[in-house]
Amino acid sequence: MITGLATVLVAVGGTAFAEIVSSRPATSPSFNGPVYAVAYHGDTVYVGGNFTTASVNGRTEQRTRLAAFDANTGALRDWKPAADANVRALAVGDGVVYAAGDFDTVNGESRDAVAGIGETDGQVTQLRHTVVGQPNAIAAGHGRIYLGGRITAVDGQPRRNLAAFTAADGTLDAWAPTTDDTVNALAVTDDRVYLGGSFHRTNDVRSTLRLTAVDPDTGVLDRSFAPKPVSQVFALATHTDGVYAALGGQGGRAVSYTREGQTRWTRVFDGDAQAITQLSEVIYVGGHFDKACTTTNNGVRGICTDGSVVRGKLAAIDREGNLLEWAPQANGIVGTRQLAASARLASVSAVGDFTQVDGVSRKRYAEFTGVMPRTERAATDDVAAYNFDTTIADGTFDDGSGHGHLLRAVTRNGGAPRMVPHGSGQALGFPARCADESCPRLVLQAGDTADLNPGTRPLRYGAGVLLSPSETGGGENILQKGYSNGGGQYKLQVDGQSGKPSCGISDRTGTTVYVARSRTSVADGRWHSLECRRTGPTLAIVVDDRLETVTAVPDTLSVETSQPFTVGGKGVGQNNDQFHGTLDDVWVQIGLG
């Protein structure tokens, strides 16, 4: 299953670069009503809203305003607590999913506006209170569950839009800062709880409007943080140097603030920005906007006055404030209500009222994958490496890793290695493209050893490739270990006449091959570096240090094959997927994340 594409994109109006998720949404459930809240925990996505069913691959199941599913496959979990009214916010901590909203009961038990639910069994916890008002936000941290909204009392105790509960036993906590109007968003860090909303005073202090920070233990106002947002704050996302905020008003705004509250940058849209999150140095924004302004100027009804670009309900910004070219184009009026990101899974989830994203049906939930942190390769960690600059007495190619995996030429019909100058050394040329049964065949082969079998461990492998348009074919193997019909495999190849490289991996059991395919051709007569990375639940292809595609794979997928390691083809038979270009710097690493 290919779940999406990722690439490095030039920012609009600047020269910044950023790794960004695909604009093509992955396979995921659809819901029959609005989804207001989303949260990741491990490999699971939790959602809440006002839906009663969830559908996956044409199969519909009952899910009453709460649901959970596998983030990698979209398959529904057997987790189905039922709330009797809207779920507006979710947080996960210490094995519990915390929900806030308009409900009076969960699983038929009295739970007024806030509830704790076991993340595996779906049963309500002892967290039980009477809340007067409407909660909009919930967050976990510092041994507490923080609640924000339009609230006047909890269990008969006065609370002005903010409250907290002790996570250990669910009791009402003494933490009770105040605001004079609604709190829409909460974000917890090591030393602060950020508050966002429509208020003008925090703890009765004047000019502490719309975005403030309080102490997570005492609730005391942090006066060192003094931003001046121009309109209502709907969502927050923290980073090490401050906070990102999504604002409404006359056109929406995404704003980056320092820890002191100074504005780093502002991006303006033609409608409210209602959601914001960060993944891999990219800030994702959602709302009910249709366009992003090219400057910070807008006019009546938020219309951009100095030009705009289409951004339907979703947009992305780099850390310098440059608008990126990511544009999935969701539909609907309300659009995106909330965003969440998982660094572990390299994915971003969007929820709201949309029914289409990037031209495909995605009813009220969409997940985008693609980002993988860059890591430098240390040649000393290779388990096999070939630069083709040296041979030994019998004509085999030496293994520069020191592990002794010598490559020996296996030929047919006169196929022979052809040495090509490259840099200060040499590269290896393979036979020209040919369709006849008598065509030359050449494969380099190393014996099978345990240290070339990754099992479930992290795996990286790659090569330098020179390929012209005239050298492409139906499919050309660059390197391969094993086959999909027994023991599993990993391989790097070039697919078809288009010359687009791909990485493939399969399990020691089963025949499914998971493929990460580049959308960029390398058949242009120039050298390119190609790399495949398998880390836990993802397989990625990197072209010239640019992340192209990430595909979900099972965590348990294991390659344990007794087949030899080959370069340039899978054998010397008629349909051997013969490579026809030139290779250099072939390498494999195993066990390094």
Side-chain angles (χ1 to χ4, degrees), residues 36-86:
Y36 299 138
V38 58
Y40 282 95
H41 189 249
D43 291 336
T44 300
V45 177
Y46 295 92
V47 294
N50 192 27
F51 51 85
T52 56
T53 64
S55 301
V56 182
N57 296 325
R59 179 180 177 182
T60 298
E61 297 189 31
Q62 183 174 352
R63 292 294 188 273
T64 309
R65 301 182 180 88
L66 289 160
F69 50 92
D70 188 307
N72 296 309
T73 67
L76 286 170
R77 304 285 197 206
D78 190 25
W79 186 84
K80 40 191 172 184
D84 69 338
N86 295 340

Side-chain angles (χ1 to χ4, degrees), residues 333-412:
I333 298 174
V334 174
T336 302
R337 292 182 182 268
Q338 195 174 102
L339 293 166
S342 168
R344 178 180 179 275
L345 301 177
S347 62
V348 172
S349 284
V351 298
D353 292 68
F354 50 80
T355 57
Q356 281 198 333
V357 179
D358 199 38
V360 298
S361 177
R362 289 295 184 271
K363 294 181 179 179
R364 305 170 185 93
Y365 174 85
E367 184 176 40
F368 307 93
T369 62
V371 172
M372 176 174 286
R374 290 185 180 178
T375 54
E376 296 298 323
R377 172 190 163 227
T380 54
D381 295 324
D382 294 340
V383 295
Y386 310 97
N387 61 16
F388 306 112
D389 292 341
T390 60
T391 60
I392 59 176
D394 64 357
T396 61
F397 292 95
D398 199 7
D399 175 11
S401 75
H403 288 74
H405 302 301
L406 304 181
L407 281 178
R408 294 178 172 83
V410 180
T411 66
R412 181 182 177 187

Side-chain angles (χ1 to χ4, degrees), residues 66 79 81-83 87 89-92 96-107 109-118 122-131 135 138 145 147 165 170:
L66 289 160
W79 186 84
V87 174
L90 293 173
V92 186
V96 179
V97 179
Y98 296 98
D102 306 331
F103 50 84
D104 294 314
T105 67
V106 176
N107 293 344
E109 298 187 39
S110 177
R111 292 295 186 274
D112 181 16
V114 62
I117 306 164
Q123 299 302 305
V124 292
T125 69
Q126 59 189 334
L127 180 68
R128 178 178 176 177
H129 298 277
T130 300
V131 179
I138 195 165
I145 309 306
L147 192 68
F165 310 97

Side-chain angles (χ1 to χ4, degrees), residues 159-184:
R159 290 292 187 272
R160 290 170 57 190
N161 304 313
L162 293 159
F165 310 97
T166 303
D169 58 12
T171 58
L172 182 64
D173 195 86
W175 187 87
T178 65
T179 64
D180 64 345
D181 206 341
T182 304
V183 174
N184 296 321

Side-chain angles (χ1 to χ4, degrees), residues 194-382:
Y194 289 98
L195 317 174
S198 57
F199 53 86
H200 291 80
R201 294 191 181 196
T202 303
N203 291 353
D204 290 322
V205 176
R206 295 180 60 184
S207 300
T208 54
L209 71 168
R210 304 187 184 105
L211 177 57
T212 53
V214 296
D215 187 277
D217 297 317
T218 66
V220 171
L221 179 69
D222 187 339
R223 293 175 181 265
S224 67
F225 179 67
K228 301 296 181 185
V230 297
S231 55
Q232 181 173 187
V233 175
F234 285 113
L236 298 170
T238 63
H239 58 91
T240 55
D241 301 322
V243 65
Y244 300 113
L247 281 62
Q250 183 175 292
R253 283 167 167 76
V255 186
S256 174
Y257 295 100
T258 68
R259 278 186 57 84
E260 296 72 38
Q262 296 173 343
T263 299
R264 281 200 185 89
W265 52 256
T266 300
R267 296 302 320 186
V268 176
F269 303 89
D270 68 347
D272 288 347
Q274 302 174 144
I276 197 161
T277 193
Q278 180 188 11
L279 178 65
S280 188
E281 303 301 308
V282 176
I283 298 89
Y284 296 89
V285 184
H288 61 77
F289 50 80
D290 294 309
K291 296 178 181 179
C293 303
T294 53
T295 71
T296 58
N297 299 322
N298 64 355
V300 178
R301 297 179 182 176
I303 295 174
C304 304
T305 56
D306 297 332
S308 63
V309 291
V310 174
R311 291 293 184 273
K313 309 333 187 224
L314 291 161
I317 305 163
D318 69 19
R319 285 204 63 179
E320 285 72 49
N322 297 294
L323 183 69
L324 299 175
E325 294 178 2
W326 187 73
Q329 294 302 104
N331 68 347
I333 298 174
V334 174
T336 302
R337 292 182 182 268
Q338 195 174 102
L339 293 166
S342 168
R344 178 180 179 275
L345 301 177
S347 62
V348 172
S349 284
V351 298
D353 292 68
F354 50 80
T355 57
Q356 281 198 333
V357 179
D358 199 38
V360 298
S361 177
R362 289 295 184 271
K363 294 181 179 179
R364 305 170 185 93
Y365 174 85
E367 184 176 40
F368 307 93
T369 62
V371 172
M372 176 174 286
R374 290 185 180 178
T375 54
E376 296 298 323
R377 172 190 163 227
T380 54
D381 295 324
D382 294 340

